[in-house]
Amino acid sequence: MIPLLELREVTVRFGTQAAVRDVSLALQPGAALGLVGESGSGKSTLLRVLLRLQDVASGQILMDGAEITTARSARLRALRCDVQVVFQNPHSALNPRLYVHDAVAEPLQIQGGLSRTRLRARIDGLLEDVGLGEEFLWRYPHELSGGQKQRVCIARALAPGPRALLLDEPTSALDVSVQAQIIDLLRRLRARHQLAFLFISHNLAVVQLLCEEVAVLRQGAGGGARPGCPGAARAGA
Ligand SMILES: Nc1ncnc2c1ncn2[C@@H]1O[C@H](COP(=O)(O)OP(=O)(O)OP(=O)(O)O)[C@@H](O)[C@H]1O
Ligand SMILES: [Mg+2]
């Protein structure tokens, strides 16, 4: 199978420091890959590399088997629709001045092509997908709980109809009881929409619940990388 997203021997430097060294990993269509590793090992940096928000010093990024390491315009637009991201902190991810309706509408309006009624129907459908009723449409982020905010972030991520979600510790800013609900929601959404997940977490138990495979990032910046030791290794979850 051709991976949906692939990194080949990617190295990222900040100044003279290598934050990520020779990391290779592949995310297959519909698969769920956990990415674990100690703080500072470069997990979030890799996610930014995959989104082409972070340049690499060397190595390749591929999408559907085609190199996008330095791709521009059309290819990148496809990437930005097909690959969506959910961050750790829903409190800072949402614009405090936007109603839930507008936050979810934004990515749809950027894509364009929807009439007012279609747009509204799509927003309703997305909110329903993440377990939020109509009563949330005209609320501001400060009128939501942490879990509800993260649900809005997930609805926003689903809006462009992506094939993959990149999730950077999506539950670690939430209360423990809420974490389980969000994990359960993500499991169901993955099945319903046949999504691929790249799931970053410190919590191996959560990774095992959600992912079939796990990549371990062994070295980060200042970690004193040992020569001959690859940055990432694969193991069964
Ligand atoms: N913009 C930047 N400029 C300089 N150094 C950076 C930058 N972003 C990240 N780093 C460094 O790169 C290394 C990897 O950071 P990264 O955020 O990817 O780690 P992480 O694995 O996501 O950690 P955590 O689990 O704490 O989120 C760290 O040493 C960090 O200080
Ligand atoms: Mg991080």
Side-chain angles (χ1 to χ4, degrees):
M1 224 190 323
I2 298 172
L4 172 52
L5 285 173
E6 188 178 356
L7 298 179
R8 289 190 189 158
E9 293 177 25
V10 161
T11 294
V12 177
R13 280 189 228 288
F14 294 111
T16 54
Q17 283 272 27
V20 167
R21 198 185 302 262
D22 285 336
V23 169
S24 299
L25 61 81
L27 180 65
Q28 299 294 342
L33 175 65
L35 182 59
V36 301
E38 64 193 42
S39 183
S41 59
K43 303 180 296 296
S44 299
T45 301
L46 281 184
L47 185 141
R48 292 173 55 77
V49 165
L50 284 168
L51 292 166
R52 283 286 321 274
L53 298 172
Q54 170 66 54
D55 286 333
V56 298
S58 61
Q60 293 176 302
I61 312 155
L62 294 91
M63 184 179 182
D64 298 318
E67 189 170 357
I68 58 162
T69 318
T70 57
R72 305 230 168 270
S73 60
R75 269 268 168 72
L76 274 195
R77 271 202 298 279
L79 172 71
R80 301 270 145 82
C81 284
D82 282 350
V83 182
Q84 291 293 309
V85 60
V86 177
F87 291 105
Q88 174 174 13
N89 191 344
H91 309 288
S92 60
L94 292 171
N95 181 337
R97 289 185 193 82
L98 286 189
Y99 285 121
V100 167
H101 171 281
D102 300 336
V104 178
E106 202 173 50
L108 294 167
Q109 284 163 334
I110 290 169
Q111 263 189 329
L114 284 179
S115 67
R116 270 177 88 130
T117 27
R118 285 257 176 97
L119 178 68
R120 178 55 197 272
R122 182 94 176 95
I123 293 167
D124 287 347
L126 284 161
L127 285 188
E128 196 187 324
D129 241 4
V130 299
L132 295 176
E134 267 191 31
E135 67 272 26
F136 290 96
L137 270 175
W138 305 106
R139 286 206 202 168
Y140 287 109
H142 75 265
E143 297 168 314
L144 303 173
S145 71
Q148 288 161 352
K149 279 184 219 177
Q150 194 60 301
R151 286 173 195 266
V152 174
C153 292
I154 294 168
R156 249 175 86 89
L158 292 176
R163 291 188 287 148
L165 289 190
L166 311 185
L167 303 132
D168 196 350
E169 306 193 52
T171 62
S172 55
L174 304 174
D175 199 76
V176 177
S177 62
V178 182
Q179 289 185 10
Q181 292 170 19
I182 297 294
I183 295 299
D184 189 52
L185 173 71
L186 289 170
R187 276 170 68 107
R188 280 184 284 117
L189 288 173
R190 189 182 151 223
R192 188 180 308 156
H193 299 288
Q194 278 132 42
L195 291 164
F197 277 3
L198 180 73
F199 184 80
I200 295 175
S201 179
H202 282 112
N203 187 336
L204 269 172
V206 169
V207 170
Q208 277 179 333
L209 275 176
L210 216 56
C211 303
E212 294 104 34
E213 247 191 319
V214 55
V216 183
L217 208 50
R218 287 218 198 87
Q219 271 116 22
R226 279 170 283 141
C229 188
R234 281 278 183 89

